[in-house]
Amino acid sequence: MGIFWDLLQQDELEKQKNQADSVEDRVKHLEEELANTKVLLKKTLIALETHLVKDIDGDGKAG
C-alpha cells in the first residue's frame, strides 16, 4: 500500500507544480502527464504480474 500512497503524493505534487495558464502549455502538460501515466501503469503492471506470478496483459510473460 505504501507504493501507491507515494505515487499518489508524487502525482499531486506534480499537478500543483505544473499548472499552466495558456492552452499550449496545458496541452503540453497533459501530453507529459499521459506519458508519465503510461510509464507508471507499465511499472505497476510489471510489479503486479511479478507479485502474482501471472500474465495479466497477455504478452506471454509474467513480469
Side-chain angles (χ1 to χ4, degrees), residues 33-49:
E33 190 172 325
L34 176 59
N36 290 339
T37 301
K38 286 181 177 182
V39 168
L40 177 60
L41 181 59
K42 183 66 176 174
K43 288 179 182 178
T44 304
L45 179 62
I46 290 169
L48 185 59
E49 284 186 347

Side-chain angles (χ1 to χ4, degrees), residues 13 23 26 32 35 42 53 58:
L13 288 173
V23 172
R26 287 186 297 201
E32 291 171 357
K42 183 66 176 174
V53 190

Side-chain angles (χ1 to χ4, degrees), residues 3 5 26 37 41 47 52 54 61:
I3 189 171
W5 178 251
R26 287 186 297 201
T37 301
L41 181 59
L52 296 177
K54 183 176 181 182
K61 55 185 175 180

Side-chain angles (χ1 to χ4, degrees), residues 7-40:
L7 295 173
L8 287 172
Q9 287 181 320
Q10 179 183 356
D11 182 56
E12 287 301 316
L13 288 173
E14 288 208 17
K15 283 181 186 178
Q16 292 175 7
K17 184 183 82 170
N18 293 325
Q19 287 182 348
D21 292 329
S22 72
V23 172
E24 294 84 7
D25 287 343
R26 287 186 297 201
V27 168
K28 181 180 177 184
H29 170 69
L30 289 172
E31 289 172 342
E32 291 171 357
E33 190 172 325
L34 176 59
N36 290 339
T37 301
K38 286 181 177 182
V39 168
L40 177 60

